[in-house]
Amino acid sequence: MTDHLLGEEARVLRPDGWWRSAVVYQIYPRSFQDSDGDGIGDIPGITSRLDYLAELGVDVIWLSPVYRSPQCDNGYDISDYRDVDPLFGTLADLETLIAAAHERGIRLVMDLVVNHTSDEHPWFIESRDPASPKRDWYFWRPARPGAEPGAAGSEPNDRPAAFAPSAWTYDPVSGEYYLGIFSPGQPDLNWENPEVRQAVYAMMRWWVDRGVDGFRMDVINLISKPIGFTTDALDPSGVEPTYEGGSGPRLDEFLAEMNREVRLDDLNLLTVGEMPGSTVETAIRATDPGRHELNMVFTFEHVMLDRVPGGQRWDLVDLPLPVLKNNLAHWQLGLADVGWNSLYFDNHDQARAVSRFGDDSPEHRVASAKTLATVLHLHKGTPYVYQGEELGMTNAPFTTIEQYRDISALNVYAAATAGGVPTERVMHFLETRSRDHARTPMQWDATDAAGFTTATPWIEVNPNYPTINAAAASEDADSVFAHFQKLIALRHDNAVVREGRFELLLPEHDRLWAFTRTLDDERLLVLANCSSRPADLPLEDLPDHVDAELLLGTHLNGRPDSLAPWESRILRLDQS
Ligand code: NOJ
């Protein structure tokens, strides 16, 4: 137990608003480092790699779920919130990790998955009995009127689940259906019931007492159910609710109550709410410090821009640069005065940024990974680095469905092929967007299985590990890793990077991403060529930067009027 981190001392470690200058590193434990030779990453493996994170310079670890879980969605289905799954180690291992991270000045944020539990959680098992006091802790509904319970098409309504054809699963024990917006293994908790909320808050306090520094809150917008999920009625707009959008009417109330009851703000804990469907307006409400809800949210707008609105998941469209950069700029302006942004391209649910937004060919991979990082880290907000992003790790070259592991990939494949969608089309979707691209093992070195495990890994290692790995990066002063180190240091050392006002330049330019950051009399100019061809700089439309100091650049080009493919520069403008 990390006694020295409890109570007052823990608070000293967490000064007010510390998360505004922090860079967070996300660890997906299953794929980070295996220590016991079972092919699955674990907590002692993470502890053994802390010096790597300290060298990178990050301030916080966000640990994806390590709780006890049947693992139907790799831990986002929790059966015991107060224990560690034996796959990952023990509670004592986690306490050791927290203490070892703190010794290095790195804080640790837990993933909080409380929109739903596992169907093996004791709360859910108890609630299957219609007479149980926990019946109302979940959403139980009879078959639709006149329909035969359990028969095909008898579900209470037609809402699909994220990873299954229906959001409703029939339970023969109680003769009713329960709601699982994600999958049958992930029944939704009923937050309308105050006992549920108090049980969650008590669990959160228990983790705070164990020294954790905050929570990343999984699909927290869904704790207040969008109208139409639990009933047949739709909201007046007639729009069907989906797991990707919106929230119900009590979200802000629940978040404020949680903040109060767990003393999230009093204790200066980091809180980031994952909120698919959030808009600038909902984010302002949730992150306005005066309302004491959350520090920041993860929006999904910029990672959904290549989807056909209202289309199937496999319907993708090209994403022109102006659409992407204007979206980020919209959030920068929207949250300029109230609230706070989180900044991410990569996480465990997204394809690799360098393959998606950059150019992962051998010629341009390094430069495009660096330039995407430059652009993201120079926005205002808290940047999130997902494991391997700092190495420029790429999508996996999987060609058959057997290589995929993710419940989502397997469900998309099954649904598409059952619906007659050509296999090539759905495979193309998986090859470019599957969540499994982010989940291939961390590439540590050029030895077998990339140094991740001595066994067969649970998912194939990307075959490019002999060249793309942490050991090679540490010997190369120009590596993507070295560039991330510099970006993180730049943020730590410069108030203008943390707090400067953002202004987008050249909003319609289809290859250049350019903006300024201004704080008092300091001004930075960021210029990035987001294409694999050289780009002329329209000097007449940019602030004069011919004599500006180069704070960080990706190339030795030095030409004031053009950028090489995927070149970026961070310049300090002379304000005298
Ligand atoms: C969002 C998580 O990031 C994702 O991995 C998970 O599948 C769903 N929420 C359900 O918990």
Side-chain angles (χ1 to χ4, degrees):
M1 166 66 90
T2 52
D3 289 317
H4 61 292
L5 286 163
L6 301 184
E8 288 305 312
E9 273 188 73
R11 258 180 278 167
V12 173
L13 190 77
R14 299 189 279 247
D16 191 15
W18 58 271
W19 40 269
R20 286 172 78 104
S21 49
V23 177
V24 182
Y25 187 92
Q26 183 192 353
I27 291 182
Y28 196 65
R30 172 177 273 276
S31 304
F32 194 64
Q33 176 68 65
D34 178 22
S35 75
D36 60 0
D38 65 356
I40 298 175
D42 49 46
I43 295 171
I46 299 171
T47 306
S48 74
R49 294 294 186 178
L50 283 177
D51 287 338
Y52 170 84
L53 299 184
E55 201 189 327
L56 182 58
V58 294
D59 308 278
V60 185
I61 293 168
W62 150 23
L63 192 63
S64 278
V66 291
Y67 310 92
R68 260 189 201 268
S69 159
Q71 304 286 323
C72 87
D73 186 15
N74 291 355
Y76 284 91
D77 49 315
I78 296 169
S79 54
D80 185 346
Y81 287 108
R82 299 184 196 216
D83 202 0
V84 165
D85 197 280
L87 266 187
F88 300 123
T90 62
L91 204 49
D93 290 334
L94 183 53
E95 285 166 350
T96 302
L97 170 62
I98 295 170
H102 284 172
E103 273 161 26
R104 289 164 177 80
I106 298 175
R107 299 173 172 104
L108 188 137
V109 162
M110 292 294 274
D111 217 310
L112 181 80
V113 188
V114 290
N115 172 65
H116 44 268
T117 66
S118 159
D119 62 341
E120 294 183 22
H121 195 290
W123 296 342
F124 182 75
I125 292 172
E126 205 182 320
S127 90
R128 291 178 69 187
D129 174 357
S132 143
K134 292 221 168 44
R135 184 69 169 176
D136 183 51
W137 282 38
Y138 295 83
F139 296 98
W140 290 98
R141 297 285 182 271
R144 65 185 69 193
E148 176 67 21
S154 299
E155 293 83 9
N157 62 35
D158 292 330
R159 313 288 170 254
F163 314 137
S166 174
W168 296 97
T169 303
Y170 181 63
D171 177 36
V173 174
S174 51
E176 287 194 323
Y177 293 79
Y178 64 88
L179 180 72
I181 288 180
F182 286 90
S183 78
Q186 296 163 294
D188 282 62
L189 280 167
N190 178 9
W191 276 67
E192 300 295 323
N193 183 323
E195 288 174 16
V196 168
R197 305 204 296 273
Q198 289 305 327
V200 170
Y201 306 152
M203 174 272 284
M204 291 172 73
R205 287 190 291 262
W206 188 86
W207 280 105
V208 172
D209 287 346
R210 256 137 208 89
V212 307
D213 302 286
F215 299 96
R216 173 270 183 189
M217 304 179 185
D218 193 67
V219 287
I220 204 68
N221 55 310
L222 292 177
I223 58 176
S224 175
K225 293 288 170 263
I227 294 167
F229 252 124
T230 56
T231 63
D232 221 8
L234 294 178
D235 80 2
S237 67
V239 176
E240 293 216 358
T242 72
Y243 68 95
E244 285 170 331
S247 63
R250 299 186 70 189
L251 177 64
D252 293 295
E253 176 197 334
F254 291 162
L255 290 175
E257 181 185 80
M258 176 197 280
N259 195 316
R260 222 172 32 245
E261 294 275 334
V262 189
R263 301 180 58 224
L264 295 170
D265 280 356
D266 288 352
L267 297 173
N268 288 319
L269 298 171
L270 185 155
T271 51
V272 52
E274 187 203 30
M275 290 211 197
S278 56
T279 59
V280 164
E281 291 67 36
T282 50
I284 289 175
R285 269 211 311 279
T287 67
D288 176 347
R291 296 171 57 95
H292 298 285
E293 295 183 23
L294 300 171
N295 299 154
M296 54 194 135
V297 308
F298 288 133
T299 175
F300 276 52
E301 281 190 359
H302 65 300
V303 291
M304 304 262 296
L305 295 170
D306 54 5
R307 293 260 296 270
V308 176
Q312 298 289 350
R313 255 179 287 176
W314 47 85
D315 293 331
L316 298 175
V317 288
D318 285 343
L319 174 55
L321 182 67
V323 175
L324 179 63
K325 65 185 179 183
N326 279 290
N327 180 267
L328 265 71
H330 172 63
W331 281 77
Q332 292 285 300
L333 297 183
L335 274 70
D337 299 320
V338 180
W340 190 250
N341 270 295
S342 65
L343 307 170
Y344 77 95
F345 283 144
D346 266 331
N347 64 37
H348 66 294
D349 292 332
Q350 300 297 328
R352 290 281 178 183
V354 70
S355 300
R356 181 176 185 183
F357 303 115
D359 178 342
D360 64 4
S361 68
E363 194 185 349
H364 296 299
R365 182 188 64 84
V366 168
S368 66
K370 287 181 184 175
T371 281
L372 287 172
T374 295
V375 166
L376 191 74
H377 284 240
L378 265 289
H379 277 66
K380 184 178 173 186
T382 299
Y384 287 74
V385 181
Y386 177 70
Q387 65 186 43
E389 187 179 1
E390 76 284 9
L391 303 175
M393 276 178 63
T394 66
N395 279 357
F398 293 161
T399 52
T400 67
I401 191 66
E402 289 72 32
Q403 291 172 292
Y404 291 91
R405 297 283 175 274
D406 177 23
I407 182 175
S408 173
L410 302 180
N411 174 60
V412 165
Y413 183 84
T417 48
V421 177
T423 310
E424 309 80 70
R425 185 134 160 246
V426 64
M427 286 308 286
H428 174 71
F429 165 76
L430 294 179
E431 279 157 22
T432 51
R433 292 289 180 278
S434 166
R435 309 197 297 181
D436 276 337
H437 295 301
R439 302 175 180 189
T440 62
M442 180 71 178
Q443 294 168 206
W444 293 107
D445 57 40
T447 63
D448 282 353
F452 164 70
T453 181
T454 52
T456 304
W458 69 276
I459 186 169
E460 286 174 38
V461 175
N462 192 315
N464 61 21
Y465 74 89
T467 42
I468 304 175
N469 64 64
S474 72
E475 281 160 21
D476 174 5
D478 279 333
S479 64
V480 180
F481 181 88
H483 191 75
F484 269 84
Q485 280 180 312
K486 290 175 198 157
L487 286 171
I488 294 167
L490 208 62
R491 172 168 292 268
H492 289 156
D493 296 344
N494 291 278
V496 64
V497 177
R498 299 190 295 271
E499 303 286 345
R501 184 165 46 78
F502 175 97
E503 189 188 350
L504 185 69
L505 308 174
L506 314 175
E508 297 313 319
H509 200 294
D510 62 357
R511 295 192 293 136
L512 291 175
W513 198 330
F515 54 89
T516 54
R517 300 287 311 282
T518 312
L519 185 68
D520 303 325
D521 54 4
E522 259 215 276
R523 194 158 188 226
L524 303 183
L525 171 65
V526 179
L527 297 173
N529 177 3
C530 294
S531 80
S532 303
R533 288 180 290 137
D536 290 336
L537 291 170
L539 294 180
E540 62 289 358
D541 297 326
L542 292 169
D544 180 13
H545 60 277
V546 175
D547 298 320
E549 177 195 353
L550 180 66
L551 288 184
L552 183 57
T554 52
H555 290 59
L556 291 172
N557 175 354
R559 291 190 48 184
D561 58 350
S562 77
L563 293 176
W566 293 104
E567 177 178 0
S568 54
R569 297 178 194 157
I570 305 169
L571 299 151
R572 193 199 303 274
L573 298 181
D574 184 0
Q575 297 289 83
S576 59

